[in-house]
Amino acid sequence: MTIPTVRAAVMDGPGAMRLQDFPEPTVPADAALIDVSLCGICGTDKHIYKDEVKSHPLGVPTKFPIIPGHEIVGTIERIGAKAAARMSLTGGTLRAGDRVVPVVDLRCEECVGCKTHPGWPSCERGETYGWGISCRDAPHLFGGFAEKMYVLPQTKLAKVPDSVPDQAAVFAEVLAVGYTSVARMLHSLQLSGDGSSYVGDVVVQGSGPLALAHVIAAKIAGAHRVVVVGMPEYRTKFMGQFGVDLSLDATKLTREERTERVLHGLESGGADVVFECTGDPSVVEEGLSYLKPFGYYLVAGIYSDSGKTTTLNVQKYVSGRYATIVGNGGQTELSYAKALGMMESFAHTIPFEEVVTHRFPLDRHREAMETAISEQSMKVAFEP
Amino acid sequence: MTIPTVRAAVMDGPGAMRLQDFPEPTVPADAALIDVSLCGICGTDKHIYKDEVKSHPLGVPTKFPIIPGHEIVGTIERIGAKAAARMSLTGGTLRAGDRVVPVVDLRCEECVGCKTHPGWPSCERGETYGWGISCRDAPHLFGGFAEKMYVLPQTKLAKVPDSVPDQAAVFAEVLAVGYTSVARMLHSLQLSGDGSSYVGDVVVQGSGPLALAHVIAAKIAGAHRVVVVGMPEYRTKFMGQFGVDLSLDATKLTREERTERVLHGLESGGADVVFECTGDPSVVEEGLSYLKPFGYYLVAGIYSDSGKTTTLNVQKYVSGRYATIVGNGGQTELSYAKALGMMESFAHTIPFEEVVTHRFPLDRHREAMETAISEQSMKVAFEP
Amino acid sequence: MTIPTVRAAVMDGPGAMRLQDFPEPTVPADAALIDVSLCGICGTDKHIYKDEVKSHPLGVPTKFPIIPGHEIVGTIERIGAKAAARMSLTGGTLRAGDRVVPVVDLRCEECVGCKTHPGWPSCERGETYGWGISCRDAPHLFGGFAEKMYVLPQTKLAKVPDSVPDQAAVFAEVLAVGYTSVARMLHSLQLSGDGSSYVGDVVVQGSGPLALAHVIAAKIAGAHRVVVVGMPEYRTKFMGQFGVDLSLDATKLTREERTERVLHGLESGGADVVFECTGDPSVVEEGLSYLKPFGYYLVAGIYSDSGKTTTLNVQKYVSGRYATIVGNGGQTELSYAKALGMMESFAHTIPFEEVVTHRFPLDRHREAMETAISEQSMKVAFEP
Amino acid sequence: MTIPTVRAAVMDGPGAMRLQDFPEPTVPADAALIDVSLCGICGTDKHIYKDEVKSHPLGVPTKFPIIPGHEIVGTIERIGAKAAARMSLTGGTLRAGDRVVPVVDLRCEECVGCKTHPGWPSCERGETYGWGISCRDAPHLFGGFAEKMYVLPQTKLAKVPDSVPDQAAVFAEVLAVGYTSVARMLHSLQLSGDGSSYVGDVVVQGSGPLALAHVIAAKIAGAHRVVVVGMPEYRTKFMGQFGVDLSLDATKLTREERTERVLHGLESGGADVVFECTGDPSVVEEGLSYLKPFGYYLVAGIYSDSGKTTTLNVQKYVSGRYATIVGNGGQTELSYAKALGMMESFAHTIPFEEVVTHRFPLDRHREAMETAISEQSMKVAFEP
């Protein structure tokens, strides 16, 4: 009798990817196995590949060797009885055949981080599918660049609504970050006589998938004008489909020109909110300078520690203008359900199914990574 | 030399309307005169006409005789030099020819109410165009059911964006209430591990213009499902154009049937937010019963004091379910600009220009009031 | 060999209490056993005893026969290895000998209520020590009116700081409700130009232990003036030690007199916040009438469903005055730690150790209940 | 007939102070004249004196020559009839003999800044008593280092409660900043399952009067532990009277030692809130490093633009830890009343009257400035 195997793309270290076949694991009562439909390549995957990551949030290192990939949609192949009752993100029982998006940051529910911040990716153990759990030990399949993925007992699974296709759902993990950013911002906003509790005029720094997630989340939350400052042209043009009012190619303009064009494009003297979605610490002061007094700056893209620093005139851009800066290092568990709910409700006005621009089988992993890194793409996904 | 006159519809008391010609006033340096393009008939106007108002918010009486009408859009005909600098709602200078929507609740800026709640309709003097300033004394023209309207020094005027037509802008005063309701609700929402800072699943009680304003404001703020419970059929059908997922005719169903249909329509076990837009205190407990635990109930329609009371099991529907009830008796000054901004940004997805279903000249005031009262209409407006 | 026994006070139904000896349970790896030092008698215990409870929050019934008591402080006698790692409320490992206060509302972490509201007493199974778990089945000891209490696996235990004595810590469960009320209110407050984010002027309706908890929580959060409207004289006098500015005996004054005295005592034209801590639905409208416009009304005392209703002019007191009503049916898990932290930080200004005015051994259960019901007491506690 | 004169200390430029006699102005109907009782020397006054200010918030320059001083308490000597009705900060009529604290930042109520942020010091004209209005032009008396101060029509005056002595009230302007900081922070806090809406564990960077204002405001808002990191020893010792749990002399410890001592002193693994009250941009990263994940950093001391910048690892301290940074460049108008209310309510636990440690007559202006600059003082005030 032969044991069936599961093929996966393994990364042994920066730049070093290869295929490997693992034995298909058995599934105990408190676990599950997912047949992966699509798995997106995240900016973090690219930074790891290019050796640009000193550490992940809360100081967690990459746990090589890994099966990368944490933007996953798939179908439950098997699920244990206990898991069926416990794993549903919003309640109810799961069963084989359900399409799901896994919450990728695990919570031990025992450490101080978990106990004091329910529902946030605040676990001190820092276990995250993809880069945060090694594939060295059985049952190995802890990432999405694989035919199947093993689901550990403490994982939550978000059920995909029937009307949301896989090519949209694979973007749920990213959109959940956008949702969490906007939710944190809305929450912080002061409702004064200016009644300014909606999103207002928005600038997004960056034009990749995370930037797109913030454009979408901001539009759905009622943003008035949205300006994108990004690169390259492929991406700034792509943004047009999503209701962006103005898209600037950052590389073709000086800081002064960008600022002048951004302020002109907003028509209102400045942005109410700026979302940083570049991952580059050098853009922070420029982003803050786009804000009106009392504005909000959300840092969402500077996710991994690259060791790079930001230089900033705090008086001029923060205290002197009453700015609020919110660091958003991830997304809440339940924001996955919110992201999928957005895809359900706003399908008629937002073309979610266009976000994945390129798909590759696992054995073309080099080409997939290069296409993602080239930025002549929006979301690149494996279709194992 | 003859003094030019301005025609207006005057209400001497409940049910008693007539036309009257007033002398056209001169305009001092701190005032303005508006050529009224459209003026909507508000629910309050109807309640006054039908003698259903004991008092307005903060105990203010109707100041008969009045020129009713406070949902106004018009063009500045003349504006004094001081007023030009001061009256702009959001800054900048106004001039003759500008299209504007006046903020209808005046603020004296001297009383405790004004001093402690900047920007809100909290003035203890209770001066409001339409029902709250008598037309007995010169310059008389203090309401919108008239060819021209006199603008007092402390008034703020919201400039109408070029792309927003009059038939949309006339709805700005109502939509500003919807905006303020949603803003207050968003502001109160707790951002817990459930990341629930967006609007979620919504029920609107009522199907008149105020209900429509709340449907629109909630959709723009990212509402997932929206269910309307209203009447008559003309109105519940009308709602379909505005993205309502389910519209129920309240008169054809028992409370139990309504509740069952609402919960079924939401698919999620209850509403996150319910907006009361009926003006009827007897609907409050039913509305609260639609909510999930930790839900929000916004009272927006119960505006005038009719002397009617609400009976309510507070344990079952409020404390036992962690509900929050927010009373919203009006709108902030700056919410007018937000409402007009929404009309500018969301014109491609929301048919604002369909809201006014009937227009009448001033001399058909009886027919206009009857059409509004019949509820075989959405917004009825005078076109003086 | 004889099995040791544990004595407890059992309630078989309203008014029917008796002593019973249970076998001392063994403690598996995921559970614990607490030696009860003190257990307070709660208003809910009294309402159950007097047959005034139709149902508890979320419709849960009393699970007779019960060992009542859920305001508990005790010492861990035994704790399993798994429980030692998991049960700590804020992180770290527990051990025998630690003094603890148990979080009394259990969460299954599997139902929709638990999944969507992390940390809140929102579990649909409604298991609560005292009234919400029957003592019929082994290991029986699910309430605090007993020498020892059995701690189920899903329970969280708050460690008592060394400087906080038992007679203060026994009040932590109640003070945690006050904390949660104030936290919800602070959270909802709008920070407008009026900068009104502190508590301001406060009225507490009621003068029992829950009222006292709200007085303390409000004072610690920076309340300006605090007025109590309660009864009987024993209690309104008692409040004097806790920084109350004015204490009124509700029974000796008409509604008009109370209102007049309250407003005079506040000196500012009304309360910013009113805390309902009476349990009586008939006080709601009067409490709302104490508020300034834009005020906050927290319903904290109307905990069990007695079937009684409230009658209310919603226009006059809610929408017409922009009031916010927040229903607070309990406390968050982590608020227990906050309450104990307050006892640690504010011991020099607030006499927490005076709150327990009467202590009884278990065999004087009738006298204990009568003393609590008499209201010639503040907190009455069993000292098993 | 001789015109009476008013003596004032005039600053012609950095370091250049002298006495000058001005003619006592007449008081029109919309203005007032205050007899100055005490006027504190602010950090801003010292920075101007030492030529360390490039510009004030919103880019406003110092308007030399000036009569410095904007922390003022005094008695109304004369007040015009219109001013009597309009100038009261919270409503009611003012009269000669009333003790008052003036709101020092003026609002024109016409610019975009004023129109969109009611009640905040957001006026684009940047007129502020002391450094922001020149004494070159009549009626000259626009600062507090003078026997009398002229009160312009748009000014608000906060009435001092009878029980608050002048030596406390002179600190109201500073305490109002502390109040606004804490209010903004409370407002931004998320109320999650952790119920963490109170202030929690606090670090204050700095030990001057602004730091003290934040210590006081945080204690009144319920702070648990408070650690101060400041200098010199005179000031860190002084803090002991105000309930500070630990005071560290920053100059005697390395960054590593400070961090180690701060975290040990808090006992909880980090601060929930850090208040920057040093004015030195180089302390920001260290301050952020004291925070627990999800903590709040309030920039309150970096008020004037000195041209100095901050270098910061944004990933490590902001996004990776979900930090929120709030820039607070001043205080709301109504926060002055809140500060005076705190002095009234908490006089029994907080020794407000000790804050002014040194008083000088106007002719000893050099000595006064030097004493303030020496930091062998807490608040230094002129007693004209």
Side-chain angles (χ1 to χ4, degrees), chain A residues 36-374:
Chain A
V36 177
S37 304
L38 285 171
C39 180
I41 298 176
C42 176
T44 301
D45 298 322
K46 297 191 282 179
H47 290 307
I48 295 170
Y49 191 79
K50 293 160 73 182
D51 199 13
E52 294 169 348
V53 176
K54 233 174 102 178
S55 73
H56 299 276
L58 304 174
V60 177
T62 306
K63 309 272 179 64
F64 291 116
I66 56 171
I67 300 171
H70 55 269
E71 301 174 357
I72 299 151
V73 62
T75 303
I76 296 177
E77 190 172 306
R78 268 171 292 161
I79 186 165
K82 271 194 196 170
R86 283 190 195 158
M87 281 189 180
S88 167
L89 178 60
T90 53
T93 302
L94 293 170
R95 53 180 59 83
D98 283 348
R99 288 191 307 136
V100 292
V101 171
V103 173
V104 298
D105 295 295
L106 298 181
R107 292 172 49 84
C108 71
E109 303 295 352
E110 293 190 4
C111 70
V112 173
C114 285
K115 291 199 183 223
T116 53
H117 295 287
W120 288 88
S122 52
C123 180
E124 294 169 359
R125 295 187 194 167
E127 291 190 334
T128 298
Y129 288 108
W131 55 262
I133 311 177
S134 177
C135 67
R136 180 174 289 134
D137 305 313
H140 313 289
L141 302 171
F142 301 124
F145 294 1
E147 291 167 346
K148 298 184 185 180
M149 176 185 162
Y150 186 83
V151 185
L152 291 161
Q154 66 268 44
T155 309
K156 298 263 170 55
L157 300 172
K159 222 178 144 177
V160 179
D162 289 345
S163 69
V164 177
D166 285 347
Q167 68 264 39
V170 69
F171 194 55
E173 192 268 349
V174 186
L175 187 55
V177 180
Y179 174 84
T180 301
S181 288
V182 172
R184 292 195 74 186
M185 184 271 305
L186 283 173
H187 173 82
S188 294
L189 278 176
Q190 55 197 59
L191 175 62
S192 61
D194 67 349
S196 64
S197 251
Y198 281 24
V199 178
D201 291 323
V202 171
V203 177
V204 177
Q205 294 180 293
S207 53
L210 186 69
L212 181 57
H214 283 76
V215 166
I216 293 171
K219 289 293 289 185
I220 288 179
H224 186 225
R225 281 194 184 74
V226 179
V227 173
V228 164
V229 182
M231 52 154 281
E233 200 179 0
Y234 176 94
R235 289 184 160 184
T236 56
K237 274 198 175 164
F238 188 91
M239 289 285 177
Q241 310 169 65
F242 292 86
V244 168
D245 294 281
L246 176 66
S247 225
L248 301 174
D249 189 327
T251 61
K252 297 189 178 156
L253 301 164
T254 64
R255 176 168 168 178
E256 285 65 36
E257 288 168 340
R258 287 192 295 264
T259 303
E260 193 265 330
R261 298 262 189 108
V262 164
L263 299 184
H264 186 263
L266 293 173
E267 296 183 15
S268 61
D272 295 288
V273 192
V274 174
F275 295 103
E276 180 285 314
C277 299
T278 65
D280 179 356
S282 73
V283 308
V284 172
E285 191 181 85
E286 180 175 337
L288 284 163
S289 79
Y290 297 153
L291 288 173
K292 289 174 193 151
F294 293 87
Y296 290 79
Y297 189 75
L298 264 283
V299 184
I302 303 174
Y303 177 79
S304 305
D305 186 5
S306 61
K308 290 182 192 154
T309 57
T310 294
T311 300
L312 178 62
N313 184 327
V314 167
Q315 193 282 336
K316 197 165 172 188
Y317 298 113
V318 184
S319 50
R321 305 179 73 158
Y322 293 83
T324 300
I325 301 173
V326 178
N328 191 30
Q331 71 279 74
T332 63
E333 293 185 335
L334 284 160
S335 65
Y336 284 74
K338 295 282 182 178
L340 290 164
M342 284 178 176
M343 291 175 177
E344 196 185 11
S345 303
F346 291 87
H348 59 298
T349 52
I350 298 175
F352 294 105
E353 71 287 353
E354 304 296 327
V355 176
V356 175
T357 54
H358 299 76
R359 301 178 185 208
F360 293 91
L362 287 177
D363 58 6
R364 289 169 63 195
H365 54 80
R366 177 184 302 272
E367 198 182 341
M369 293 304 293
E370 281 169 2
T371 305
I373 289 167
S374 77

Side-chain angles (χ1 to χ4, degrees), chain D residues 158-362:
Chain D
K159 219 177 145 179
V160 179
D162 289 345
S163 69
V164 176
D166 285 347
Q167 69 263 39
V170 70
F171 194 55
E173 193 268 349
V174 186
L175 187 56
V177 180
Y179 174 84
T180 302
S181 288
V182 172
R184 292 196 75 187
M185 185 272 305
L186 283 174
H187 173 81
S188 294
L189 277 175
Q190 55 195 59
L191 175 63
S192 61
D194 67 348
S196 64
S197 252
Y198 281 24
V199 179
D201 291 322
V202 171
V203 176
V204 177
Q205 293 180 292
S207 52
L210 186 70
L212 181 57
H214 282 77
V215 166
I216 293 172
K219 290 292 289 185
I220 288 179
H224 186 224
R225 280 194 185 75
V226 178
V227 173
V228 164
V229 182
M231 54 156 279
E233 199 179 2
Y234 176 93
R235 288 183 159 184
T236 56
K237 274 198 175 163
F238 188 90
M239 289 284 177
Q241 310 168 63
F242 292 85
V244 169
D245 294 282
L246 175 67
S247 223
L248 301 174
D249 189 327
T251 60
K252 297 189 177 156
L253 301 163
T254 64
R255 177 168 167 178
E256 286 66 36
E257 287 168 338
R258 287 192 296 264
T259 303
E260 194 263 330
R261 299 259 189 111
V262 164
L263 298 184
H264 187 265
L266 293 172
E267 296 184 15
S268 62
D272 295 287
V273 192
V274 174
F275 295 103
E276 180 285 314
C277 299
T278 66
D280 178 355
S282 74
V283 308
V284 171
E285 190 181 88
E286 179 175 339
L288 283 162
S289 79
Y290 297 154
L291 288 172
K292 291 175 191 149
F294 293 86
Y296 290 79
Y297 189 75
L298 264 282
V299 184
I302 303 174
Y303 177 79
S304 306
D305 186 6
S306 60
K308 289 180 191 158
T309 57
T310 293
T311 299
L312 177 60
N313 185 326
V314 166
Q315 192 283 336
K316 196 166 172 188
Y317 298 113
V318 184
S319 49
R321 304 180 75 158
Y322 293 83
T324 300
I325 301 174
V326 179
N328 191 30
Q331 71 277 74
T332 62
E333 293 184 335
L334 284 159
S335 65
Y336 284 74
K338 295 284 182 175
L340 290 165
M342 284 178 174
M343 290 175 178
E344 194 184 11
S345 303
F346 291 88
H348 59 297
T349 52
I350 298 176
F352 293 104
E353 73 286 353
E354 304 296 327
V355 176
V356 175
T357 53
H358 300 76
R359 302 178 184 208
F360 292 92
L362 287 177

Side-chain angles (χ1 to χ4, degrees), chain D residues 12-32:
Chain D
D12 293 303
M17 271 181 85
R18 60 182 170 84
L19 291 183
Q20 182 174 344
D21 288 340
F22 294 94
E24 183 170 312
T26 55
V27 177
D30 59 358

Side-chain angles (χ1 to χ4, degrees), chain C residues 240-277:
Chain C
Q241 310 169 65
F242 291 85
V244 168
D245 294 281
L246 174 67
S247 225
L248 301 174
D249 189 328
T251 60
K252 297 189 178 155
L253 302 163
T254 64
R255 178 168 166 178
E256 285 65 35
E257 287 168 338
R258 287 192 296 264
T259 303
E260 194 263 331
R261 299 261 189 109
V262 165
L263 298 184
H264 187 264
L266 293 172
E267 296 184 15
S268 61
D272 295 287
V273 192
V274 174
F275 295 103
E276 180 285 314
C277 299

